[in-house]
Each structure stands twice: as C-alpha cells, then as structure tokens.
Amino acid sequence: MKRMTRDESRLQTRERLLASAREVFARAGYGGASVDDIAETAGYSKGAFYSNFATKEAIFLELLETHMAGELAGAEALTGSATTWQAAVDAIAERYATDAQDRDWCLLSVEFALHAARAPAFAAHFARLFERQYAGIAKIARKLAQMAGTRLADPHKVAVQFIALRQGLALDQASASPQLSAKDCIATYRMFMRAALGV
C-alpha cells in the first residue's frame, strides 16, 4: 500500500477533526464542547488539533463555511440540470424537504446562530458567510425567474426568505414530534417558490 504524503496525512487529519467537531458540537453544543473532546473523538491529541485550527471557534466557523459552500453548489447543480422552471422548483423542494435526515446539521444551525448572537467577532464572519449565501441563492432565483418568464423585484429578499423558511422547516422535521410531514414540506417549498416567482 502506498504511504500517504505529509500533505495527504495533514488533510486526512483535518477532515477527521472536522467530522469529529460536527459530531461533538451537535451533541454537546458550542459551549459544552471542548478541544479535548473534539481531538479525542477524532483519535488525535490536542496538539494535532492546534496544528490545524487556532481555536475552537475557528473549526466551528470552518464547519459552517464548508457546509454552506456545498449547499450552494448543490442548489446550483439542481437548477443547472433542470430544463424547465417547474422541474427546478420540484427538484429544490424535494432536496430540501430531506434536510431533517441530517439531524446533526439542523442542531448545528441553531448553535451557529446562538454563538453569533453572543460573540461579536464570530458574528461578523457569520454575517459575511450568509451574505455570500444570499447572493448565491439570489442568483439562482433570478435564473428561475428568467426560465419562468417573470422578473423578481427583490432577489435578495427572496433568498433571505428561502433560507429562513428552510431553517424553520428543517428544525420542525428534526424535532422529536414533527408537526409537518416531508410531503407537507415539499408542498410548502413549492408554494413559496411559485409565489416568489409570480407564477
């Protein structure tokens, strides 16, 4: 078996630490998680953690940034492969109605918002990441409107509303006693997107 290079080994360590941090933060919350917990769950020493991340907050922020970039790329791929606006709306609705299957991420989304409300420096990074996300979703919304032959008055507001709706629905679905079924969520996404597009 070929031995990993130093860069490959470092990347693997970083990825394992990120996976561990996601698990620990979702289980214990930001305040309850420690660098020791994250390193131990990943099978590394505290030194390995600090050789990759400066602070607990740094790995927390990278988790958010990596997830958001992946989510945006996924949404762009869904709309890019659709041949009609109806197909794109259906694909997005069905994709995001499954958010609750990733319960850890639903819990983490709350932790990110709570920490941003309490830590000004983190809040500034948090706001910048969300502005980037809003801009990406707004671009997708404009593309859907173009496909539908309509025009959005405020694509940025549509993006903010979509993300707020998504977070609320995902949290309901991740709860012990969800009030909405996956079918309900799909219908809600479709209704919102059709209204936003004016169709």
Side-chain angles (χ1 to χ4, degrees):
M1 178 184 269
K2 182 183 174 184
R3 287 188 64 183
M4 286 191 293
T5 64
R6 181 172 294 181
D7 286 344
E8 288 170 339
S9 178
R10 184 179 177 84
L11 180 61
Q12 183 184 74
T13 300
R14 193 176 184 86
E15 287 173 348
R16 285 182 178 172
L17 285 166
L18 282 164
S20 171
R22 174 181 166 138
E23 178 187 333
V24 173
F25 285 135
R27 182 179 69 240
Y30 182 82
S34 70
V35 168
D36 284 330
D37 292 336
I38 294 168
E40 185 179 335
T41 301
Y44 294 114
S45 66
K46 192 192 290 191
F49 178 94
Y50 284 119
S51 70
N52 285 276
F53 300 98
T55 60
K56 180 174 77 167
E57 189 172 86
I59 196 170
F60 198 51
L61 187 63
E62 185 158 329
L63 269 178
L64 176 63
E65 185 168 8
T66 302
H67 182 80
M68 291 178 82
E71 284 293 294
L72 191 56
E76 288 170 344
L78 286 175
T79 52
S81 62
T83 55
T84 66
W85 68 265
Q86 293 98 327
V89 164
D90 287 346
I92 291 169
E94 288 169 18
R95 159 64 186 85
Y96 289 114
T98 65
D99 267 357
Q101 291 176 13
D102 188 353
R103 189 170 182 274
D104 279 359
W105 192 258
C106 292
L107 295 173
L108 279 169
S109 68
V110 176
E111 288 295 324
F112 287 122
L114 288 172
H115 188 58
R118 296 165 180 155
F122 181 83
H125 291 296
F126 185 81
R128 280 196 292 273
L129 286 178
F130 265 87
E131 279 306 317
R132 188 189 307 167
Q133 202 76 353
Y134 293 145
I137 298 295
K139 181 179 176 183
I140 291 169
R142 284 193 295 270
K143 179 179 179 180
L144 289 178
Q146 185 178 27
M147 291 170 76
T150 62
R151 186 174 179 278
L152 300 178
D154 191 344
H156 180 268
K157 184 178 283 187
V158 170
V160 174
Q161 291 170 330
F162 177 81
I163 290 176
L165 174 68
R166 182 188 162 203
Q167 289 174 333
L169 290 176
L171 286 173
D172 173 79
Q173 290 293 282
S175 69
S177 302
Q179 300 299 301
L180 299 170
S181 67
K183 193 173 181 179
D184 292 330
C185 292
I186 290 172
T188 302
Y189 281 120
R190 284 176 176 158
M191 181 171 60
F192 168 79
M193 288 186 283
R194 286 171 176 267
L197 293 172
V199 293

